[in-house]
Amino acid sequence: MANQRPNPNEAFPNPKILSLCYIKNVVKNPRIIIGDYTYYDDVDGADQFEKHVTHFYDFIGDKLIIGKFCSIAKGVEFVMNGANHRMDCATTYPFYIMGGDWGSAIAPVKDELPLKGDTIIGNDVWIGQNVTVMPGVHIGDGAIIGTNSVVAKDIPPYAIAVGNPCRVVRKRFDDELIELLLKLRWWDKSIEEIESLLPLLSCGDLEKVKAELKSIMNPPKIETHKVVKFMVYDRMARKGSSAYSPKSHSAPHFEGHYVEGMEEWASHYCFNKKEDGSYEAELDEAWDEGSHYGGGTINVAIPKEWLDLTYDEFLERVITLAAAEHYGFTTDDLKEKNGLKEFFGFENK
């Protein structure tokens, strides 16, 4: 079945609720930058969001930047820097824009205007009905702005702020959970990852949320073995070629380094590539009945894909396979005996 998730590139994600609009798809001004899944809810025209960005003049060049997954209610107004008047003169009245003879009044240059910079709204922000956001304000990720508020100063992440002037009344969560959420940045993940997180993001048990986020952000360390890529030599390689081994052996080969207990299994071991392209493990002076030494050589075919295993995994499989072939028992027999060490009595050595 095809996935039925909302399309972030459609203006109205739910055709049954036309008051809700993904506004990145309807704004025309390139200086209004809006993230995926951010919506404006207005029964009087959700697709008219751009009308709620006022005093937005090209010659000033400021931007309105809104993150992803924000919820913006009806009646919002983003007042941009063009609304500001000079306050360093005897009057704040803008004679120069009134026309007529007044148009000859000295107009300020851009650097003389009290510009506040870009207005930036973070991700997962909820802005209530009839909120006014003043020029240059920054509202942090996860913040909530209460109805009818006038936001004239920055609001930190995951704060609840209300009033005129808008003030922080409390944090949404404790500092630890806020830090985890800011570190997670779930809104930047793929939509598949976000969907997998929905049960957690929608959970009201904050202690559970905190515990699971810790697990996600700080997974337990798993001890890993260094992967050793075995260099396999060709029996037919000529001296001087990269496939030739200088080892003193009847055929070019690679001798792996010893690991603890290896001397109990075989004095030497190597891995060869045969003329037919297959691979083999060769164990010299392998054990025999009654003695762990002087047993001659065991040759056993090995799958090519084993060369991608870690060193210890490769060695264990090769030795187990060789022992099974030499003695006529199966690898299942070794599993019952807890591996070769117990089988040969090396467990306590």
Side-chain angles (χ1 to χ4, degrees), residues 28-320:
K28 300 295 190 294
N29 194 312
R31 291 186 291 118
I32 302 177
I33 302 167
I34 300 173
D36 286 348
Y37 300 99
T38 285
Y39 72 84
Y40 176 54
D41 187 3
D42 190 339
V43 294
D44 296 324
D47 57 347
Q48 301 300 308
F49 171 81
E50 200 163 348
K51 293 182 178 179
H52 297 267
V53 183
T54 63
H55 305 86
F56 199 34
Y57 304 132
D58 289 340
F59 77 92
I60 293 178
D62 52 347
K63 298 177 181 177
L64 171 60
I65 302 171
I66 304 177
K68 305 172 185 175
F69 293 96
C70 291
S71 308
I72 303 175
K74 177 181 178 179
V76 70
E77 182 174 2
F78 292 93
V79 180
M80 304 304 288
N81 281 281
N84 284 324
H85 293 209
R86 290 189 67 176
M87 296 185 291
D88 57 349
C89 298
T91 179
T92 60
Y93 192 85
F95 286 96
Y96 55 91
I97 68 171
M98 297 303 164
D101 292 339
W102 289 3
S104 62
I106 299 175
V109 298
K110 183 177 177 181
D111 290 344
E112 293 175 331
L113 293 172
L115 304 181
K116 305 294 185 180
D118 296 335
T119 299
I120 301 177
I121 313 301
N123 304 277
D124 191 24
V125 173
W126 176 19
I127 298 178
Q129 193 163 308
N130 299 319
V131 167
T132 300
V133 180
M134 299 302 287
V137 163
H138 290 199
I139 299 177
D141 297 324
I144 298 174
I145 309 299
T147 297
N148 296 318
S149 296
V150 176
V151 188
K153 293 185 178 180
D154 293 352
I155 305 298
Y158 289 97
I160 297 176
V162 297
N164 181 8
C166 190
R167 301 183 187 278
V168 174
V169 293
R170 66 179 176 88
K171 297 178 181 180
R172 290 181 59 192
F173 313 120
D174 63 36
D175 289 342
E176 185 179 23
L177 181 51
I178 290 174
E179 183 180 354
L180 287 168
L181 288 166
L182 291 174
K183 184 178 178 182
L184 178 67
R185 296 188 63 83
W186 62 264
W187 45 81
D188 286 337
K189 298 185 180 298
S190 70
I191 194 61
E192 291 78 15
E193 290 177 287
I194 292 173
E195 288 175 342
S196 71
L197 288 170
L198 285 181
L200 184 62
L201 296 174
S202 305
C203 178
D205 185 345
L206 297 183
E207 290 304 314
K208 178 182 178 182
V209 172
K210 191 187 301 184
E212 292 196 28
L213 285 179
K214 287 179 181 178
S215 177
I216 292 171
M217 306 304 295
N218 303 295
K221 292 183 178 179
I222 301 174
E223 185 177 350
T224 58
H225 297 282
K226 182 180 179 182
V227 175
V228 177
K229 293 291 184 181
F230 288 96
M231 188 172 182
V232 181
Y233 293 96
D234 193 323
R235 285 182 179 276
M236 304 302 292
R238 294 186 178 183
K239 188 172 182 179
S241 70
S242 60
Y244 178 78
S245 168
K247 301 288 185 181
S248 57
H249 191 271
S250 58
H253 67 284
F254 169 72
E255 292 190 2
H257 62 275
Y258 289 129
V259 294
E260 183 181 357
M262 182 60 211
E263 66 275 8
E264 304 287 0
W265 297 336
S267 60
H268 293 82
Y269 53 102
C270 57
F271 314 106
N272 301 314
K273 184 176 182 181
K274 300 167 67 175
E275 291 181 52
D276 62 4
S278 63
Y279 294 84
E280 70 173 3
E282 184 174 328
L283 285 75
D284 295 339
E285 299 182 16
W287 57 85
D288 65 354
E289 292 84 349
S291 171
H292 301 315
Y293 302 100
T297 299
I298 296 175
N299 293 79
V300 58
I302 59 173
K304 181 180 179 180
E305 55 267 24
W306 281 15
L307 299 178
D308 291 323
L309 297 171
T310 64
Y311 185 86
D312 290 344
E313 290 173 327
F314 181 90
L315 185 61
E316 180 181 358
R317 292 195 188 188
V318 168
I319 300 299
T320 299

